[in-house]
Amino acid sequence: MNNLSGRTRSGLTANLTSKGEGTESETAGLVARARTMMLISGLTTVLAIAAVVTVIGYRMYAGAANSPVEDIMTLPKGARIVSMAGSGGRLAVMVDNNGVIEMHVFDLKTMKESGHLRFTNEQ
């Protein structure tokens, strides 16, 4: 097929319009390569999903292995808990002890007190 200048077209349109012996084998090769890439992509996706599910299962199982720790903290007479907050494996408890604010910090795994602060007014 000629274009306006009189020269024959080259490239993709020439390959699509011409009937050749190698076009069927080239097409089969491209299809085979595409199938191979799809197979590799699918296997990689399945492997990634399996890794994520494994990590989630491991963390759930490892978290269930910890036995619950129970402890009793007795407050002095007239004291009350103002607030509690947990973060980073620690539990902070603010206690109002007859006008004096105290903060007790506990480790969540062992429930042992790891810190104690007392806030008083300057006299």
Side-chain angles (χ1 to χ4, degrees), residues 8-68:
T8 60
R9 290 187 182 176
S10 62
L12 181 62
T13 55
N15 286 339
L16 291 177
T17 57
S18 65
K19 305 251 186 219
E21 300 158 2
T23 57
E24 289 182 16
S25 63
E26 288 177 14
T27 305
L30 289 173
V31 169
R33 192 176 342 163
R35 282 185 184 156
T36 304
M37 288 190 298
M38 287 173 42
L39 182 65
I40 291 170
S41 174
L43 290 175
T44 304
T45 303
V46 168
L47 182 66
I49 290 172
V52 169
V53 169
T54 302
V55 168
I56 290 172
Y58 173 76
R59 289 194 178 183
M60 288 178 66
Y61 179 73
N66 296 339
S67 60

Side-chain angles (χ1 to χ4, degrees), residues 14 44 51 55-56 81 86 100 113 119:
T44 304
V55 168
I56 290 172
I81 295 177
V100 177
E113 188 170 356
F119 302 98

